[in-house]
Amino acid sequence: MATTRESPLPILATTQESPLPKSTLSPFTLVNSVFLMVGSGGAALLLRIYFIHGGQRIWLSSFLQVAGWPLLLLPLSFSAKKFNLSLFIYSVFTFIGIFWALDCYLYALASSLLPLSTSSLVICSQLAFTAVSAFLLVRQRFTPYSFNAVVLLTIGPAVLTLGEGSDRPEGESKGKYIFGLLMAVAAAALAGFIFATMELVMRRGKVVQTYAAAIEMQLAISISGSVFCLIGMIINNDFQAIRREAREFGLGRTKYYMVLIWDAVFWQLSSIGLVGLVSGASSLFVSVMIALTLPLIEILAVIFLHEKFSASKGIALVLSIWGFISYLYGEKRQSDKAKKVAQQEPVTRAENELSANELT
């Protein structure tokens, strides 16, 4: 990707004609990883706080996950070049935004029925769905380490069935609890498909790895997703219910609106990190980073929501961390191998030229 394209953060830009190999340790990837982890942890916690203290609007909760897009206009205004993407890329990501809004709805529904620690563990199963989708759509190559990571991060959430219902919210039926688990799995499956589709579109469209491009892709997703959720809110009469919810909210009227506003901010921070990681690394790496966020969410759930940390959750957490370490170790081995090959290429080329000269 030989002419450089300007970016508000030049160190993160690539060139346009000869794409550089993606690295999970580049500054672009590391910054987006922080965005994803901080945003996901904060957003998930605030969403659960909304439901615990009296919030009931699923479409409103879905809207919050995509409604923070105006915040992206400020950093985009500092970009030297606007409209970094083709019309085709804009159109596809606008269409993806509708599916993303549907995924937000499934996640909000699961969050309304499950404890934060439980829903987060189940959502980690998206790594398995992402792996399958990435293999089918972008021909993702697996090493023994990445395959081991997928297996461990899939088994982890499954272990929760050993303690089924032990953390069921008081007053909630077993049927609703199981329905919440199914919605979490459905959200994970759809997210895995979306991540792989985004990677496929970026590869086919030869999207340049800059923050301006990542922000514009996220804008296309968020705007179309917001429209989709707004239609759902109108049909469900959510706007008429907001004032009543604020008045009856357990933490008070002011904190009700603060929870909604900051939840939207954290979701947008998470989303820009997600899109940046798909562009700078891979869809599979995004799912691995979401799995890495799990320990943070578990700690937040225990400290702020006083959720029980059962033995099954402990086992699932250990398996998830083990899976992440396995993936990271495999990536390091692949990176070291690639560097070694790159260093040997000039030597091999020189030896071949020397042999050819001797023969002549």
Side-chain angles (χ1 to χ4, degrees), residues 287-299:
S287 292
V288 171
M289 289 307 302
I290 291 176
L292 180 61
T293 308
L294 182 60
L296 171 63
I297 295 178
E298 295 291 326
I299 293 172

mmCIF file with all atom_site columns, all heavy atoms in Angstrom, residues 287-299:
data_model
loop_
_atom_site.group_PDB
_atom_site.id
_atom_site.type_symbol
_atom_site.label_atom_id
_atom_site.label_alt_id
_atom_site.label_comp_id
_atom_site.label_asym_id
_atom_site.label_entity_id
_atom_site.label_seq_id
_atom_site.pdbx_PDB_ins_code
_atom_site.Cartn_x
_atom_site.Cartn_y
_atom_site.Cartn_z
_atom_site.occupancy
_atom_site.B_iso_or_equiv
_atom_site.pdbx_formal_charge
_atom_site.auth_seq_id
_atom_site.auth_comp_id
_atom_site.auth_asym_id
_atom_site.auth_atom_id
_atom_site.pdbx_PDB_model_num
ATOM 1  N N   . SER A 1 287 ? -11.332 -11.120 18.312 1.00 0.00 ? 287 SER A N   1
ATOM 2  C CA  . SER A 1 287 ? -12.015 -12.020 19.244 1.00 0.00 ? 287 SER A CA  1
ATOM 3  C C   . SER A 1 287 ? -11.101 -12.431 20.390 1.00 0.00 ? 287 SER A C   1
ATOM 4  O O   . SER A 1 287 ? -11.541 -12.599 21.531 1.00 0.00 ? 287 SER A O   1
ATOM 5  C CB  . SER A 1 287 ? -12.523 -13.253 18.503 1.00 0.00 ? 287 SER A CB  1
ATOM 6  O OG  . SER A 1 287 ? -13.562 -12.907 17.619 1.00 0.00 ? 287 SER A OG  1
ATOM 7  N N   . VAL A 1 288 ? -9.819  -12.603 20.096 1.00 0.00 ? 288 VAL A N   1
ATOM 8  C CA  . VAL A 1 288 ? -8.856  -12.947 21.153 1.00 0.00 ? 288 VAL A CA  1
ATOM 9  C C   . VAL A 1 288 ? -8.737  -11.797 22.151 1.00 0.00 ? 288 VAL A C   1
ATOM 10 O O   . VAL A 1 288 ? -8.693  -12.006 23.366 1.00 0.00 ? 288 VAL A O   1
ATOM 11 C CB  . VAL A 1 288 ? -7.488  -13.293 20.544 1.00 0.00 ? 288 VAL A CB  1
ATOM 12 C CG1 . VAL A 1 288 ? -6.434  -13.427 21.639 1.00 0.00 ? 288 VAL A CG1 1
ATOM 13 C CG2 . VAL A 1 288 ? -7.565  -14.590 19.753 1.00 0.00 ? 288 VAL A CG2 1
ATOM 14 N N   . MET A 1 289 ? -8.710  -10.557 21.657 1.00 0.00 ? 289 MET A N   1
ATOM 15 C CA  . MET A 1 289 ? -8.609  -9.404  22.543 1.00 0.00 ? 289 MET A CA  1
ATOM 16 C C   . MET A 1 289 ? -9.874  -9.239  23.382 1.00 0.00 ? 289 MET A C   1
ATOM 17 O O   . MET A 1 289 ? -9.810  -8.839  24.548 1.00 0.00 ? 289 MET A O   1
ATOM 18 C CB  . MET A 1 289 ? -8.354  -8.131  21.724 1.00 0.00 ? 289 MET A CB  1
ATOM 19 C CG  . MET A 1 289 ? -6.961  -8.048  21.125 1.00 0.00 ? 289 MET A CG  1
ATOM 20 S SD  . MET A 1 289 ? -5.643  -8.275  22.347 1.00 0.00 ? 289 MET A SD  1
ATOM 21 C CE  . MET A 1 289 ? -6.010  -6.970  23.509 1.00 0.00 ? 289 MET A CE  1
ATOM 22 N N   . ILE A 1 290 ? -11.027 -9.540  22.794 1.00 0.00 ? 290 ILE A N   1
ATOM 23 C CA  . ILE A 1 290 ? -12.272 -9.491  23.563 1.00 0.00 ? 290 ILE A CA  1
ATOM 24 C C   . ILE A 1 290 ? -12.231 -10.531 24.679 1.00 0.00 ? 290 ILE A C   1
ATOM 25 O O   . ILE A 1 290 ? -12.686 -10.284 25.801 1.00 0.00 ? 290 ILE A O   1
ATOM 26 C CB  . ILE A 1 290 ? -13.481 -9.729  22.640 1.00 0.00 ? 290 ILE A CB  1
ATOM 27 C CG1 . ILE A 1 290 ? -13.650 -8.527  21.695 1.00 0.00 ? 290 ILE A CG1 1
ATOM 28 C CG2 . ILE A 1 290 ? -14.759 -9.939  23.452 1.00 0.00 ? 290 ILE A CG2 1
ATOM 29 C CD1 . ILE A 1 290 ? -14.754 -8.693  20.681 1.00 0.00 ? 290 ILE A CD1 1
ATOM 30 N N   . ALA A 1 291 ? -11.663 -11.704 24.377 1.00 0.00 ? 291 ALA A N   1
ATOM 31 C CA  . ALA A 1 291 ? -11.505 -12.734 25.404 1.00 0.00 ? 291 ALA A CA  1
ATOM 32 C C   . ALA A 1 291 ? -10.556 -12.263 26.509 1.00 0.00 ? 291 ALA A C   1
ATOM 33 O O   . ALA A 1 291 ? -10.760 -12.562 27.689 1.00 0.00 ? 291 ALA A O   1
ATOM 34 C CB  . ALA A 1 291 ? -10.990 -14.026 24.779 1.00 0.00 ? 291 ALA A CB  1
ATOM 35 N N   . LEU A 1 292 ? -9.523  -11.502 26.132 1.00 0.00 ? 292 LEU A N   1
ATOM 36 C CA  . LEU A 1 292 ? -8.580  -10.984 27.119 1.00 0.00 ? 292 LEU A CA  1
ATOM 37 C C   . LEU A 1 292 ? -9.252  -9.967  28.040 1.00 0.00 ? 292 LEU A C   1
ATOM 38 O O   . LEU A 1 292 ? -8.842  -9.801  29.201 1.00 0.00 ? 292 LEU A O   1
ATOM 39 C CB  . LEU A 1 292 ? -7.388  -10.332 26.412 1.00 0.00 ? 292 LEU A CB  1
ATOM 40 C CG  . LEU A 1 292 ? -6.304  -9.725  27.308 1.00 0.00 ? 292 LEU A CG  1
ATOM 41 C CD1 . LEU A 1 292 ? -5.689  -10.802 28.194 1.00 0.00 ? 292 LEU A CD1 1
ATOM 42 C CD2 . LEU A 1 292 ? -5.234  -9.053  26.471 1.00 0.00 ? 292 LEU A CD2 1
ATOM 43 N N   . THR A 1 293 ? -10.286 -9.296  27.557 1.00 0.00 ? 293 THR A N   1
ATOM 44 C CA  . THR A 1 293 ? -11.020 -8.321  28.362 1.00 0.00 ? 293 THR A CA  1
ATOM 45 C C   . THR A 1 293 ? -11.806 -9.003  29.475 1.00 0.00 ? 293 THR A C   1
ATOM 46 O O   . THR A 1 293 ? -12.205 -8.361  30.454 1.00 0.00 ? 293 THR A O   1
ATOM 47 C CB  . THR A 1 293 ? -11.978 -7.515  27.468 1.00 0.00 ? 293 THR A CB  1
ATOM 48 O OG1 . THR A 1 293 ? -11.260 -6.985  26.357 1.00 0.00 ? 293 THR A OG1 1
ATOM 49 C CG2 . THR A 1 293 ? -12.601 -6.351  28.226 1.00 0.00 ? 293 THR A CG2 1
ATOM 50 N N   . LEU A 1 294 ? -12.019 -10.304 29.331 1.00 0.00 ? 294 LEU A N   1
ATOM 51 C CA  . LEU A 1 294 ? -12.840 -11.054 30.279 1.00 0.00 ? 294 LEU A CA  1
ATOM 52 C C   . LEU A 1 294 ? -12.399 -10.908 31.729 1.00 0.00 ? 294 LEU A C   1
ATOM 53 O O   . LEU A 1 294 ? -13.238 -10.636 32.607 1.00 0.00 ? 294 LEU A O   1
ATOM 54 C CB  . LEU A 1 294 ? -12.870 -12.528 29.867 1.00 0.00 ? 294 LEU A CB  1
ATOM 55 C CG  . LEU A 1 294 ? -13.714 -13.474 30.721 1.00 0.00 ? 294 LEU A CG  1
ATOM 56 C CD1 . LEU A 1 294 ? -15.171 -13.041 30.711 1.00 0.00 ? 294 LEU A CD1 1
ATOM 57 C CD2 . LEU A 1 294 ? -13.581 -14.904 30.219 1.00 0.00 ? 294 LEU A CD2 1
ATOM 58 N N   . PRO A 1 295 ? -11.098 -11.070 32.064 1.00 0.00 ? 295 PRO A N   1
ATOM 59 C CA  . PRO A 1 295 ? -10.696 -10.906 33.470 1.00 0.00 ? 295 PRO A CA  1
ATOM 60 C C   . PRO A 1 295 ? -11.062 -9.529  34.030 1.00 0.00 ? 295 PRO A C   1
ATOM 61 O O   . PRO A 1 295 ? -11.487 -9.413  35.184 1.00 0.00 ? 295 PRO A O   1
ATOM 62 C CB  . PRO A 1 295 ? -9.175  -11.098 33.428 1.00 0.00 ? 295 PRO A CB  1
ATOM 63 C CG  . PRO A 1 295 ? -8.935  -11.934 32.214 1.00 0.00 ? 295 PRO A CG  1
ATOM 64 C CD  . PRO A 1 295 ? -9.959  -11.485 31.220 1.00 0.00 ? 295 PRO A CD  1
ATOM 65 N N   . LEU A 1 296 ? -10.920 -8.484  33.198 1.00 0.00 ? 296 LEU A N   1
ATOM 66 C CA  . LEU A 1 296 ? -11.268 -7.131  33.642 1.00 0.00 ? 296 LEU A CA  1
ATOM 67 C C   . LEU A 1 296 ? -12.756 -7.041  33.974 1.00 0.00 ? 296 LEU A C   1
ATOM 68 O O   . LEU A 1 296 ? -13.146 -6.482  35.005 1.00 0.00 ? 296 LEU A O   1
ATOM 69 C CB  . LEU A 1 296 ? -10.903 -6.125  32.542 1.00 0.00 ? 296 LEU A CB  1
ATOM 70 C CG  . LEU A 1 296 ? -11.393 -4.689  32.741 1.00 0.00 ? 296 LEU A CG  1
ATOM 71 C CD1 . LEU A 1 296 ? -10.747 -4.084  33.990 1.00 0.00 ? 296 LEU A CD1 1
ATOM 72 C CD2 . LEU A 1 296 ? -11.086 -3.838  31.514 1.00 0.00 ? 296 LEU A CD2 1
ATOM 73 N N   . ILE A 1 297 ? -13.598 -7.588  33.089 1.00 0.00 ? 297 ILE A N   1
ATOM 74 C CA  . ILE A 1 297 ? -15.039 -7.534  33.315 1.00 0.00 ? 297 ILE A CA  1
ATOM 75 C C   . ILE A 1 297 ? -15.431 -8.344  34.544 1.00 0.00 ? 297 ILE A C   1
ATOM 76 O O   . ILE A 1 297 ? -16.304 -7.937  35.334 1.00 0.00 ? 297 ILE A O   1
ATOM 77 C CB  . ILE A 1 297 ? -15.788 -8.046  32.070 1.00 0.00 ? 297 ILE A CB  1
ATOM 78 C CG1 . ILE A 1 297 ? -15.537 -7.098  30.884 1.00 0.00 ? 297 ILE A CG1 1
ATOM 79 C CG2 . ILE A 1 297 ? -17.280 -8.172  32.343 1.00 0.00 ? 297 ILE A CG2 1
ATOM 80 C CD1 . ILE A 1 297 ? -16.182 -7.543  29.596 1.00 0.00 ? 297 ILE A CD1 1
ATOM 81 N N   . GLU A 1 298 ? -14.793 -9.508  34.737 1.00 0.00 ? 298 GLU A N   1
ATOM 82 C CA  . GLU A 1 298 ? -15.089 -10.335 35.909 1.00 0.00 ? 298 GLU A CA  1
ATOM 83 C C   . GLU A 1 298 ? -14.792 -9.574  37.197 1.00 0.00 ? 298 GLU A C   1
ATOM 84 O O   . GLU A 1 298 ? -15.572 -9.609  38.156 1.00 0.00 ? 298 GLU A O   1
ATOM 85 C CB  . GLU A 1 298 ? -14.262 -11.624 35.859 1.00 0.00 ? 298 GLU A CB  1
ATOM 86 C CG  . GLU A 1 298 ? -14.599 -12.555 34.711 1.00 0.00 ? 298 GLU A CG  1
ATOM 87 C CD  . GLU A 1 298 ? -15.964 -13.187 34.865 1.00 0.00 ? 298 GLU A CD  1
ATOM 88 O OE1 . GLU A 1 298 ? -16.377 -13.460 36.007 1.00 0.00 ? 298 GLU A OE1 1
ATOM 89 O OE2 . GLU A 1 298 ? -16.633 -13.386 33.848 1.00 0.00 ? 298 GLU A OE2 1
ATOM 90 N N   . ILE A 1 299 ? -13.656 -8.881  37.218 1.00 0.00 ? 299 ILE A N   1
ATOM 91 C CA  . ILE A 1 299 ? -13.272 -8.108  38.406 1.00 0.00 ? 299 ILE A CA  1
ATOM 92 C C   . ILE A 1 299 ? -14.259 -6.973  38.646 1.00 0.00 ? 299 ILE A C   1
ATOM 93 O O   . ILE A 1 299 ? -14.694 -6.720  39.778 1.00 0.00 ? 299 ILE A O   1
ATOM 94 C CB  . ILE A 1 299 ? -11.840 -7.564  38.248 1.00 0.00 ? 299 ILE A CB  1
ATOM 95 C CG1 . ILE A 1 299 ? -10.841 -8.726  38.244 1.00 0.00 ? 299 ILE A CG1 1
ATOM 96 C CG2 . ILE A 1 299 ? -11.502 -6.587  39.374 1.00 0.00 ? 299 ILE A CG2 1
ATOM 97 C CD1 . ILE A 1 299 ? -9.421  -8.322  37.892 1.00 0.00 ? 299 ILE A CD1 1
#
